Amino acid sequence: NAGVTQTPKFQVLKTGQSMTLQCAQDMNHNSMYWYRQDPGMGLRLIYYSASEGTTDKGEVPNGYNVSRLNKREFSLRLESAAPSQTSVYFCASRIDAYTGELFFGEGSRLTVL
Amino acid sequence: TQLLEQSPQFLSIQEGENLTVYCNSSSVFSSLQWYRQEPGEGPVLLVTVVTGGEVKKLKRLTFQFGDARKDSSLHITAAQPGDTGLYLCAGRWGATNKLIFGTGTLLAVQP
């Protein structure tokens, strides 16, 4: 089973460029999340979608936008990348917003020069 | 601002030693989970606790949820090199459906 799939796995951007991180899950989960992880640190919640058609801000939403395209897909967009957005980004999903295991993708390593 | 503080941040021990990792918040958790992350991978769930005072065991790992549901601990008995990784707690408060992660504890078990 594929689980949670993120693309791309690696990306290098210049300051000011834009890009979209794609995430898809095949587990029929209702809730999806985007986190960022900086070296040696825990995960910080950027945005989440409790269910199809809804999105909400997390701890660090500034500089990002999200789209819950359908039940399977949840994308993260950087409109004007900044060096402070250099990080590893993880997409995750779970059956609903209140219970259950969070399943993660393999991560997308983004470097902004 | 991290609402979940973990301690210690780093821990390097010898194989066979015991250790405890702590996760604390000033707010009451609705539920709390512990995850383990290995380099280059996403975190993987170890356990979920929901009831104050709850104790769960997973082989050599013992998880405890505080009576007031504001704190949790993870105790590893006779640590092995395979236990090496980043241990993360994650909590949900009240009616919110945000799942917030702690600062993490990086454990290295030397053979």
Side-chain angles (χ1 to χ4, degrees):
Chain A
N1 290 337
V4 179
T5 303
Q6 293 181 230
T7 56
K9 288 188 169 44
F10 301 94
Q11 184 73 50
V12 179
L13 293 176
K14 294 181 180 178
T15 297
Q17 288 185 318
S18 62
M19 76 158 297
T20 299
L21 297 174
Q22 307 286 354
C23 175
Q25 52 89 12
D26 62 1
M27 297 173 282
N28 200 35
H29 285 170
N30 291 301
S31 300
M32 298 185 74
Y33 303 76
W34 276 106
Y35 291 91
R36 62 175 287 176
Q37 186 173 36
D38 298 313
M41 295 183 64
L43 285 79
R44 289 185 291 172
L45 181 62
I46 304 171
Y47 270 94
Y48 67 104
S49 172
S51 60
E52 187 180 357
T54 68
T55 60
D56 285 289
K57 295 179 180 180
E59 301 170 275
V60 288
N62 290 346
Y64 304 95
N65 285 300
V66 290
S67 295
R68 183 75 183 265
L69 304 170
N70 48 55
K71 191 171 185 178
R72 290 187 65 249
E73 298 173 288
F74 189 39
S75 63
L76 178 71
R77 183 161 178 82
L78 286 70
E79 290 291 351
S80 179
S84 61
Q85 294 178 304
T86 293
S87 191
V88 179
Y89 291 84
F90 285 97
C91 178
S93 71
R94 63 178 185 171
I95 188 65
D96 66 43
Y98 298 97
T99 61
E101 177 178 0
L102 204 55
F103 290 86
F104 285 84
E106 293 182 336
S108 299
R109 185 175 295 273
L110 175 66
T111 301
V112 183
L113 303 175
Chain B
T1 304
Q2 286 282 10
L3 299 176
L4 274 172
E5 294 292 333
Q6 286 185 240
S7 60
Q9 274 191 300
F10 305 100
L11 198 52
S12 180
I13 61 172
Q14 295 296 124
E15 182 175 2
E17 292 183 15
N18 301 332
L19 67 115
T20 303
V21 173
Y22 300 93
C23 174
N24 294 284
S25 172
S26 57
S27 302
V28 176
F29 298 111
S30 298
S31 62
L32 188 131
Q33 297 178 320
W34 283 93
Y35 289 79
R36 178 166 155 258
Q37 184 181 23
E38 297 191 20
E41 299 181 6
V44 175
L45 180 69
L46 296 172
V47 78
T48 300
V49 287
V50 294
T51 304
E54 186 175 4
V55 176
K56 283 191 172 180
K57 293 191 175 184
L58 185 66
K59 297 183 180 178
R60 292 176 294 101
L61 278 61
T62 301
F63 303 86
Q64 190 157 7
F65 201 16
D67 291 339
R69 291 188 290 133
K70 290 185 176 183
D71 57 272
S72 181
S73 64
L74 157 59
H75 182 79
I76 301 179
T77 302
Q80 299 177 0
D83 295 326
T84 292
L86 180 66
Y87 288 82
L88 296 156
C89 62
R92 191 175 64 79
W93 290 263
T96 180
N97 45 29
K98 293 182 184 180
L99 188 62
I100 302 298
F101 278 80
T103 48
T105 293
L106 188 60
L107 172 65
V109 182
Q110 313 297 334

